[in-house]
Structures are given as structure tokens and as C-alpha cells.
Amino acid sequence: MTGDLLSEVFDVVEIRGLVSGGFTARGPWVARSAVNKPVKFIAMARGRAGLAADGIGAPLDLRPGDIAILNGRTWFELRGGTGEGPPREIEMPVGYSSFHEAAADPADPADIVLGGHVELNPAGEALLLEALPAVGHVRASAAAAPRLCNSLDRILDEVTGNLMGSAFAIRQHGQLLLLDMLRAYADQAVLPPGRLRLLADEGLRPALDLMHAEPGRPWRLAELARAASMSRTTFAARFRLVAGIPPLTYLSRWRMLLAQRALREGDAPIASLASILGYASESAFSTAFKREVGEAPRRYRYRYGQEMRNESEARTGDQMSGHRPVRQPGG
């Protein structure tokens, strides 16, 4: 995949992979949970299980190192383990308390399941939700599987090692796990038209590089086609097939994503931002922004700043009272 561009897109749309917990189990077991995040992932770190979820047919067979990505689902059920007797009912925990028990008896290996979700802003939702099926199955046999398995192993080491700074390490490895998941999925699946498929298309990469390097330049279709060594007609058709939208529409939407990040993170004047992004006037930029985002730039900046202040005040209140918000299972 296009490494640098994917990294840039991740930063702009604020995609964050978070590993939130998991469980270990011996013998037959079943785990059920509601899903309250748009994109959730379940990693079968050790062992084997069948995964069922709303909106899919036969359960997925998850083998060691496999990951399932749930897109817009409301519940899932995992069944695994071997042996006689009724399955043990597992309440999906947020923490990792059972992992130390599993590590204590290596002669009797346990099934190990990790769960997490992807934090997304609206632009991130558009990127991932359009690219993923209801349930995506990332197999450990994929070309990118060595990196994927390495990310899982590092998380397990942190979970079971009781090391200083493990929470910070798990957050960082969660980011790499998400990246490796998407790489592996792109290697083994036919992606639908959209930004993720576009980023994986090497033929269109030269034109995409130009638009990302100078988003404020008034690019013409002929220039972009020439960079991709295609005729204007062939380039336009290929781009629409891969991205689902024409090249200059993609450029306009990319400008709007950059504008949203700039409004969230800084206090640059609107007129200056409009000029940088290639708009002839502040009013032209504001009209385009409102059409794409649904509100004027100043209103967007004010609303986002207010939300951040409210969250900060809530965190400060929790710290002063000694209260820590409880994260709900299934997220």
C-alpha cells in the first residue's frame, strides 16, 4: 500500500486503533457481547473459535492469528474450546486479569482472545466503513501476516508481563495492529471503490502524490493524467472506478479534510486557510466547506473547541473527585 499517503490520511481523519481487553479460557466456552462502536475487531491470538454476528450467514472460522473486523454490527458471539460438558459462559471483560493465569501454566495452553475498536471522526468513518464489509476476515496466512502476528505477540507480552508503562505500550501497539490489519486485509481482499482502494493503487499513485503534495494548486485533469502516464480519458475512468469519485472531486474533499484538521488544531484566520487550500476568496472557501461538512468554518471551529473544553473539564472533575470513568465492555 502507499505507506506515506496512508500515514497522512490516518493523521488527518484521526483513525486510532485501541485494544480494550480480552480473555483467556480452557475447555469449551462461549462469549457474547453487544457492540457499541462502528468498527470493532476481535483477534484470535491463540486457539480457534467460530464467530457469529448480526447480518452474516455461517460463522467465521477464526484460527490462531486471525482477526475479524466488525463493521456496523450490533452484537457478536464467539464459541471455542474443546472437551466435554456445557460451554463456560464468559462475560466480555475490559481488563486483562485472566491473562496472568494463562501465562502461569504454559503446559496447559489456553485460548486467548483480544478485543478492541477503532476510534473515528466522521471522515474516518467514511474511509473505513466504505472499505470494509459487514465482517472482514483477516487471515494469518495473508502476505502481511508476519507483521500482524508480531503486533499481536507484542501486545500479549505487555498484557502478561506486568511491565512498567504497559498501558502506554499497548496503546502504541494498538495503532500498529490496526495498520497491519488494514495492510493484510488489502492484500487478501478486493476492496470496494473508495479512498482505501485508491491508496493501494500503484498506477494512480503519481497523480495522488501530486494532489497531496500541493493540495492548493489548481490541478488540471490533463496534468494529473500525464503524471500517471495515462491519457486524460483513461485516467479519469480509472480514477472513478477505483475511488468511486472523479479526480477533482477527490481533490476538493481532501482539501476539506485538511481544512477540518486545521480548524481543530490551530487558530489560523479563515481567509489565510482559504488561500493555502486554493480558494479565490474566504467566501468561496466557506461555501465549499459548508456544502461538504454541513456547517460554516467558524461554527465548526467553535463547536469543536467547546467539545474539547467540556471533555477537559469532565476529566478534571473526575480527577479531583477520585472517580475514573468506567469503560463499557463490548466497545
Side-chain angles (χ1 to χ4, degrees), residues 103 231 262 288 305:
S231 71

Side-chain angles (χ1 to χ4, degrees), residues 5-291:
L5 292 186
L6 182 61
S7 299
E8 183 181 16
V9 169
F10 265 42
D11 286 339
V12 170
V13 302
E14 298 181 351
I15 293 180
R16 300 288 182 268
L18 301 175
V19 179
S20 54
F23 63 86
T24 65
R26 293 180 173 87
W29 54 267
V30 59
R32 303 181 182 90
S33 179
V35 179
N36 55 22
K37 297 289 183 179
V39 180
K40 178 174 176 60
F41 58 86
I42 300 165
M44 198 72 211
R46 303 284 186 273
R48 189 169 175 176
L51 170 69
D54 56 316
I56 67 171
L60 293 183
D61 180 19
L62 298 183
R63 303 188 178 209
D66 283 8
I67 296 179
I69 307 174
L70 306 182
N71 177 8
R73 302 303 89 196
T74 62
W75 62 267
F76 71 87
E77 177 185 278
L78 276 173
R79 287 184 176 270
T82 58
E84 301 295 328
R88 170 189 167 194
E89 294 271 352
I90 295 177
E91 293 290 332
M92 288 294 289
V94 173
Y96 305 99
S97 59
S98 65
F99 283 70
H100 302 289
E101 300 170 9
D105 190 3
D108 183 16
D111 294 337
I112 302 179
V113 177
L114 288 169
H117 63 273
V118 183
E119 290 287 355
L120 302 163
N121 66 14
E125 287 190 15
L127 171 65
L128 283 189
L129 270 58
E130 74 182 5
L132 299 172
V135 179
H137 187 181
V138 182
R139 295 175 177 83
S141 57
R147 291 190 297 270
L148 188 63
C149 292
N150 185 53
S151 293
L152 283 174
D153 287 341
R154 285 178 176 272
I155 292 172
L156 287 178
D157 286 344
E158 294 294 337
V159 167
T160 59
N162 197 27
L163 303 173
M164 182 173 61
S166 61
F168 176 82
I170 290 170
R171 287 196 298 272
Q172 304 310 306
H173 292 315
Q175 285 293 87
L176 295 177
L177 179 65
L178 173 60
L179 177 60
D180 289 333
M181 273 194 294
L182 293 179
R183 284 171 171 167
Y185 184 72
D187 283 344
Q188 66 183 233
V190 178
L191 297 172
R195 187 175 282 112
L196 198 59
R197 181 173 170 184
L198 178 63
L199 292 171
D201 192 297
E202 291 298 326
L204 294 173
R205 179 176 180 176
L208 205 60
D209 283 341
L210 291 180
M211 287 189 280
H212 279 245
E214 297 184 75
R217 180 171 167 176
W219 292 106
R220 293 181 298 174
L221 195 59
E223 293 177 290
L224 298 173
R226 189 162 50 248
S229 302
M230 300 179 192
S231 71
R232 187 176 181 276
T233 302
T234 300
F235 172 75
R238 169 77 172 272
F239 199 101
R240 182 185 282 272
L241 175 67
V242 172
I245 54 176
L248 298 184
T249 301
Y250 174 86
L251 175 61
S252 176
R253 292 183 180 177
W254 178 243
R255 288 171 173 171
M256 291 298 102
L257 290 176
L258 294 174
Q260 289 174 68
R261 179 176 65 173
L263 291 168
R264 291 193 303 268
E265 296 181 354
D267 55 1
I270 303 298
S272 174
L273 185 57
S275 177
I276 291 171
L277 292 176
Y279 290 88
S281 66
E282 180 179 339
S283 62
F285 167 71
S286 296
T287 298
F289 188 93
K290 188 171 184 178
R291 182 172 59 245

